[in-house]
Amino acid sequence: MWLHIDPRSEVPLYQQVVDQVREAVARRWLQPGDRLPSVRELAIKLALNHNTVAKAYQELEREGLIETLRGRGTFVAERKPRTASPEDLAWIEQQIRQLLIAAHHLGLEPETWLELAGRVVARWREPEGGSS
Amino acid sequence: MWLHIDPRSEVPLYQQVVDQVREAVARRWLQPGDRLPSVRELAIKLALNHNTVAKAYQELEREGLIETLRGRGTFVAERKPRTASPEDLAWIEQQIRQLLIAAHHLGLEPETWLELAGRVVARWREPEGGSS
DNA sequence: CTATGTGTACCATGTTATACGGTACATATT
DNA sequence: AATATGTACCGTATAACATGGTACACATAG
């Protein structure tokens, strides 16, 4: 199971599920058509309430990443070709700036940060755990 | 006043204050020794409760960005030279990955994202609003 | 048809974070 | 003494989060 929940994190439990499915889809660990665990099944495995898992799935469907079929289950949706809008780009830029600020206060200057980002991008399509 | 609060944002009000002071310090719009508005003064200007502003200032002091002196006021602290720890680097990498995932779902591939990040870094030390 | 599994919609409860309003205290400056 | 500062309380209110339980609509397998 590639999903793991940290109950002591400040990140809401349903949000942790959303984040991890998002990552799995983005990195193609999950392919379109793949079936996700059922709401109740996943709730038991992660020791969560079924309502919490359902909330995560509903958020993911709202984003268009998954499709749910009554009585059948939940599946990874087809990836729709999409071009980032100017608003999207502005939002992404803002997020980058926020990260630059945080990195600066941790002692990482923008140029060094950019090198680090380059390395992360280079490792983008690798399996999961880089080293042992 | 460079501080502005959006009451309809999902970001907590005190967090908005923290973020903006963090940015002002990181980008040297505020210099060490500069005095920040008093808790009550800022509370009135931003239409916040004094407790909310105080919470923001206490968070900023906890991070070492500002210093508070009883009866005197709140001031931007000296920047302490610091090297990012391995834990810090791991955290930053994780944040970068999260951003890459979000960008991907908006239609921005890692390589394009990296170019965008490069442009943001290039504009890092500019005043405030790039163009008109 | 029945039984089971699916997503979903409720309802109620409890916890926590956020934000407010008010008051009061310790300290520093004037 | 008067004022301004940060801070520490108290209480209240709202919203998000998470749980537990029940029930319904739909699909599939027997």
Side-chain angles (χ1 to χ4, degrees):
Chain A
M1 172 62 63
W2 39 278
L3 266 162
H4 55 98
I5 294 299
D6 177 11
R8 288 177 311 282
S9 167
E10 82 280 2
V11 180
L13 305 180
Y14 86 95
Q15 189 66 50
Q16 295 185 41
V17 175
V18 170
D19 289 342
Q20 292 179 40
V21 173
R22 262 208 287 251
E23 174 166 17
V25 172
R27 304 182 73 152
R28 322 225 172 146
W29 300 337
L30 283 178
Q31 301 284 339
D34 283 357
R35 187 175 182 281
L36 277 78
S38 81
V39 164
R40 291 170 181 80
E41 182 186 347
L42 189 56
I44 293 174
K45 281 197 178 179
L46 300 181
L48 300 180
N49 189 273
H50 60 265
N51 288 322
T52 304
V53 176
K55 183 175 183 180
Y57 279 13
Q58 284 159 15
E59 168 68 13
L60 287 163
E61 182 169 40
R62 199 188 57 77
E63 296 177 7
L65 272 91
I66 66 178
E67 284 174 350
T68 62
L69 300 175
R70 271 262 177 100
R72 297 221 46 227
T74 305
F75 305 87
V76 177
E78 296 292 333
R79 173 124 153 79
K80 301 156 200 158
R82 144 158 213 180
T83 305
S85 70
E87 292 77 18
D88 294 336
L89 290 176
W91 180 84
I92 295 174
E93 280 196 29
Q94 178 58 28
Q95 298 300 308
I96 291 174
R97 264 191 295 274
Q98 289 276 108
L99 239 185
L100 279 174
I101 294 164
H104 173 268
H105 289 124
L106 292 175
L108 206 67
E109 292 310 307
E111 294 74 18
T112 320
W113 178 90
L114 192 56
E115 292 175 19
L116 183 62
R119 286 198 292 277
V120 173
V121 168
R123 285 191 272 105
W124 176 244
R125 301 235 183 268
E126 286 182 8
E128 192 155 356
S131 55
S132 65
Chain B
M1 172 62 64
W2 39 277
L3 265 162
H4 55 99
I5 294 298
D6 178 11
R8 290 176 309 281
S9 167
E10 81 280 0
V11 180
L13 304 181
Y14 86 94
Q15 188 66 50
Q16 295 185 41
V17 175
V18 170
D19 288 342
Q20 292 180 40
V21 173
R22 261 208 288 252
E23 175 167 16
V25 172
R27 303 181 75 153
R28 323 228 172 144
W29 301 338
L30 284 178
Q31 301 285 337
D34 282 359
R35 187 174 182 280
L36 278 77
S38 81
V39 165
R40 291 171 182 81
E41 182 186 348
L42 190 56
I44 293 174
K45 280 197 177 177
L46 301 181
L48 301 179
N49 189 272
H50 60 266
N51 288 321
T52 304
V53 177
K55 183 174 182 179
Y57 278 14
Q58 284 160 13
E59 168 67 14
L60 288 163
E61 181 169 40
R62 199 188 58 77
E63 296 176 7
L65 272 89
I66 66 179
E67 285 174 350
T68 61
L69 301 176
R70 271 260 177 103
R72 298 219 47 226
T74 306
F75 305 86
V76 177
E78 296 291 334
R79 172 123 155 81
K80 301 156 199 153
R82 142 157 214 182
T83 306
S85 70
E87 293 78 17
D88 294 336
L89 290 176
W91 180 85
I92 294 173
E93 280 196 30
Q94 178 58 29
Q95 298 301 310
I96 291 174
R97 264 189 295 274
Q98 289 276 108
L99 245 183
L100 279 174
I101 294 164
H104 173 268
H105 288 123
L106 291 175
L108 206 68
E109 291 312 305
E111 294 74 18
T112 319
W113 177 90
L114 193 56
E115 292 175 18
L116 183 62
R119 287 199 291 278
V120 172
V121 167
R123 287 191 271 104
W124 175 242
R125 300 233 184 268
E126 286 181 10
E128 190 153 358
S131 55
S132 65

